[in-house]
Amino acid sequence: MKNSWLLVIFFLLTTLTSTAKQLPGNKPLPRVAIAGIAIESSTFSPAQTDEAAFHAHYGKDVLSGYPFFAEDSPMLKRATWIPTLTGHALPGGVVTREAYESLVNKTLDSLKKHLPYDGLFFDIHGAMSVIGLDDPEGDFITRIRKVIGTKTIISTCMDLHGNVSWRLAENTDLITCYRMAPHEDAMQSKERAVENLLERIESGKGKPRYKAYIPIPILLPGEKTSTRIEPGKSLYAEVAPAAAQRGIVDAAIWIGYAWADEPRNHAVVMVTGDDMDRVKRTAEKLAQKFWQVRNDFVFVAPSGSLQEALTNALASKVHPFFISDSGDNPTAGGAGDVTWTLTEILNNPAFSKEDGPSLIYASIPGADFVEKAIAAGVGQHVDGFAGAVVDSRFAPPVHLSGTVESIIYGDKDAEVEVAVKVGSVHVIVTRKRKPYHKEIDFTRLGLYPRKADIVVVKIGYLEPELYAMRADWILAITPGGVDQNLERLPYKRIKRPMFPFDKNMKDPDLSAKWVPLSDHLKRTEK
Ligand SMILES: [Zn+2]
């Protein structure tokens, strides 16, 4: 009797574990961890980013960030997932060392609890800058390797504006990045990284045998490298067919991130696979193509100085005329409170009269000014200063003296937004910085960009809704933490020679460099 009960219990236990942890062929499900933090942070901006900005997800919550891990999704059933921590911050200034260490240590602690792993999905952007630390993503993955060992297959997915250091390439086994800018394929790319990882584990093929790495001495701003227009369009169109070849697992081109001053900031091509010759030829072909078209990258819109942009906008027969105040674009890493452009506009006599050409300026943070506007009330006069708290390098706080047009509360970024009319300019002042990308961001405040003569936004390329309503558009090359004129930035530590800074540089060596497989890391680290 006792024995038969034991048998029943044994039978139940084995059935339960087999449904939970095994594939039909009695193979146990692979154990795959998920980790990674993402931000692009400018070292040319005095702003700093703290831990809260990453809105970290922990444990099971991590899965909700990926549609391909939805309940009932086929992918979810293919592994025992061990999500640790993921975080994603809006672009900004450098990350504080405390924030970085805290996020990394939380990830490592979580990884230590659930060892061992067959795979790890490393989901990063690749353009994080941390105070006092070079190559944060390379540091992060090295510390992950120390915890999980060298057997685990790591698959990394990145933004094409991220940077791939040799150390990151060494520690990862599979690596890919987005193939579209704007990044409409972000989720698809992450899914590809996970699919590649599962395929290598399930098939028993393990780590790809070859990783080719080619650094390309090119630095370009994102606003010149859209894949909707040439030459980015045809360059990136070559990636998917390259990756689809037999013997290749993945192919990727990184534009890199231009607003950080480190040796790792430059373009990179990487190809992974099992066919040595094809991996090499594919990587070299993509790198050659990139180098050949380097001079053809231009801004996605006509560009010019702010003065040229305003002159054109005032003379234009069509409206609204959009101007991107691109140097302080908060969604690229600018502080978002540079007052230089607004100061120039308010000093322009064309806008000094109430009934002058209407211009909407979006936007400037000014917590004190917002309090003054609330105290004065809608329809009343307000006088105060805004902006230049974080970044005052180009102009001091801007003096605003005008009429409060509207006040609204509750936006998750801005908290409070105020429209104030100074001369013929409608200035949006916010308690905290906020990007203005949608029509409703304006209409909520009683401002109508479609009816305005000129709309100036702290932005790079126009987001779809603004792009759709523009009658004309100039990208003004204004100063700030993400100045689009890279030649104005005080680089000291990037590798030289580098296109476009060194005019007569020789053609670089674009032959594939073989990155050692991660199995060898133990030896090299000792
Ligand atoms: Zn990007």
Side-chain angles (χ1 to χ4, degrees):
M1 194 64 190
K2 218 177 170 185
N3 277 348
S4 58
W5 271 113
L6 277 175
L7 271 174
V8 170
I9 290 167
F10 178 75
F11 175 77
L12 277 173
L13 273 175
T14 43
T15 327
L16 282 173
T17 33
S18 68
T19 46
K21 298 250 165 69
Q22 289 195 347
L23 290 165
N26 264 356
K27 254 176 148 184
L29 280 182
R31 296 172 52 76
V32 181
I34 304 168
I37 47 179
I39 185 174
E40 46 189 293
S41 37
S42 168
T43 59
F44 297 114
S45 157
Q48 293 190 1
T49 302
D50 61 11
E51 185 173 351
F54 284 87
H55 306 285
H57 291 281
Y58 303 91
K60 289 264 179 282
D61 278 351
V62 165
L63 296 176
S64 65
Y66 305 96
F68 50 86
F69 285 142
E71 253 179 88
D72 301 333
S73 69
M75 202 166 251
L76 196 66
K77 301 190 180 86
R78 287 166 66 187
T80 300
W81 301 97
I82 302 111
T84 62
L85 179 157
T86 54
H88 186 202
L90 278 179
V94 281
V95 178
T96 66
R97 190 65 185 259
E98 297 73 28
Y100 173 76
E101 290 297 333
S102 170
L103 291 162
V104 168
N105 285 324
K106 282 176 187 168
T107 305
L108 299 180
D109 286 346
S110 180
L111 283 171
K112 280 175 199 161
K113 280 189 198 134
H114 306 283
L115 290 162
Y117 307 102
D118 300 292
L120 183 140
F121 168 42
F122 192 44
D123 184 12
I124 56 172
H125 181 292
M128 174 160 53
S129 302
V130 174
I131 295 171
L133 178 72
D134 270 7
D135 185 24
E137 286 85 355
D139 174 74
F140 191 10
I141 197 172
T142 306
R143 288 160 73 176
I144 287 176
R145 271 287 177 212
K146 286 204 175 117
V147 170
I148 65 173
T150 55
K151 285 213 174 78
T152 306
I153 305 177
I154 299 184
S155 181
T156 302
C157 184
M158 297 173 67
D159 188 296
L160 61 86
H161 299 115
N163 306 295
V164 189
S165 66
W166 182 259
R167 181 163 64 153
L168 175 58
E170 266 186 321
N171 278 278
T172 196
D173 303 295
L174 295 154
I175 189 162
T176 193
C177 71
Y178 310 157
R179 297 166 179 174
M180 294 172 87
H183 307 316
E184 294 163 78
D185 68 333
M187 245 346 126
Q188 200 187 326
S189 304
K190 290 170 201 255
E191 188 172 1
R192 183 173 64 247
V194 175
E195 177 59 47
N196 286 343
L197 177 61
L198 290 174
E199 199 279 322
R200 298 301 292 197
I201 296 171
E202 288 166 355
S203 66
K205 289 183 201 149
K207 302 175 181 179
R209 286 159 67 190
Y210 301 101
K211 291 186 280 186
Y213 177 93
I214 306 180
I216 311 170
I218 294 179
L219 259 190
L220 289 167
E223 272 68 9
K224 280 188 178 176
T225 51
S226 166
T227 60
R228 287 180 180 167
I229 56 165
E230 295 299 351
K233 192 175 175 182
S234 23
L235 174 63
Y236 271 87
E238 296 202 7
V239 178
Q245 299 170 92
R246 184 192 288 269
I248 304 283
V249 177
D250 207 279
I253 304 173
W254 285 262
I255 297 287
Y257 183 64
W259 296 285
D261 190 14
E262 277 191 47
R264 70 170 187 170
N265 292 87
H266 51 76
V268 165
V269 163
M270 269 193 84
V271 177
T272 49
D274 299 315
D275 180 332
M276 185 180 187
D277 189 46
R278 194 165 279 164
V279 168
K280 177 180 160 68
R281 271 188 287 122
T282 303
E284 290 175 353
K285 193 173 158 219
L286 291 174
Q288 287 291 351
K289 165 93 185 189
F290 196 169
W291 183 250
Q292 278 159 19
V293 298
R294 67 191 181 283
N295 283 302
D296 303 341
F297 289 95
V298 290
F299 285 113
V300 291
S303 63
S305 67
L306 178 67
Q307 195 48 54
E308 285 162 353
L310 288 172
T311 305
N312 279 310
L314 286 165
S316 175
K317 289 196 176 67
V318 293
H319 301 283
F321 195 111
F322 273 77
I323 297 175
S324 293
D325 178 6
S326 67
D328 187 37
N329 175 9
T331 48
D337 81 338
V338 173
T339 53
W340 184 86
T341 302
L342 180 56
T343 304
E344 293 287 308
I345 291 168
L346 294 176
N347 286 341
N348 190 318
F351 306 106
S352 62
K353 293 205 182 75
E354 278 273 322
D355 58 354
S358 65
L359 184 150
I360 299 174
Y361 186 83
S363 58
I364 195 81
D368 291 347
F369 188 88
V370 164
E371 295 315 312
K372 284 190 172 171
I374 293 170
V378 174
Q380 303 302 308
H381 186 79
V382 63
D383 191 297
F385 290 85
V389 171
V390 179
D391 195 345
S392 61
R393 294 172 298 169
F394 309 99
V398 60
H399 182 213
L400 300 172
S401 181
T403 309
V404 180
E405 294 182 292
S406 57
I407 304 173
I408 52 171
Y409 300 84
D411 182 80
K412 78 168 171 42
D413 295 316
E415 294 179 2
V416 187
E417 297 155 85
V418 171
V420 55
K421 191 162 182 218
V422 183
S424 65
V425 180
H426 306 267
V427 183
I428 301 175
V429 187
T430 58
R431 181 180 279 164
K432 292 186 176 167
R433 73 179 185 144
K434 167 185 167 61
Y436 283 76
H437 289 176
K438 300 217 156 89
E439 187 166 11
I440 196 168
D441 294 334
F442 297 86
T443 53
R444 285 165 72 239
L445 277 156
L447 300 174
Y448 298 92
R450 286 175 195 275
K451 292 184 189 157
D453 293 313
I454 304 170
V455 183
V456 183
V457 188
K458 283 190 188 289
I459 202 168
Y461 46 64
L462 292 183
E463 292 293 319
E465 282 189 27
L466 305 185
Y467 185 78
M469 75 169 87
R470 94 228 175 278
D472 206 344
W473 172 31
I474 285 186
L475 187 100
I477 309 300
T478 51
V482 289
D483 197 323
Q484 296 290 319
N485 182 355
L486 301 184
E487 295 176 63
R488 284 202 294 219
L489 294 174
Y491 292 106
K492 291 188 186 75
R493 303 184 55 225
I494 55 167
K495 287 181 189 145
R496 305 298 284 261
M498 179 77 75
F499 177 86
F501 312 114
D502 300 296
K503 298 302 169 203
N504 296 315
M505 66 186 285
K506 277 191 260 161
D507 285 342
D509 171 14
L510 296 178
S511 60
K513 280 105 194 127
W514 294 116
V515 184
L517 296 194
S518 59
D519 304 292
H520 302 295
L521 283 166
K522 247 188 231 156
R523 266 176 266 156
T524 53
E525 281 205 358
K526 272 177 190 164

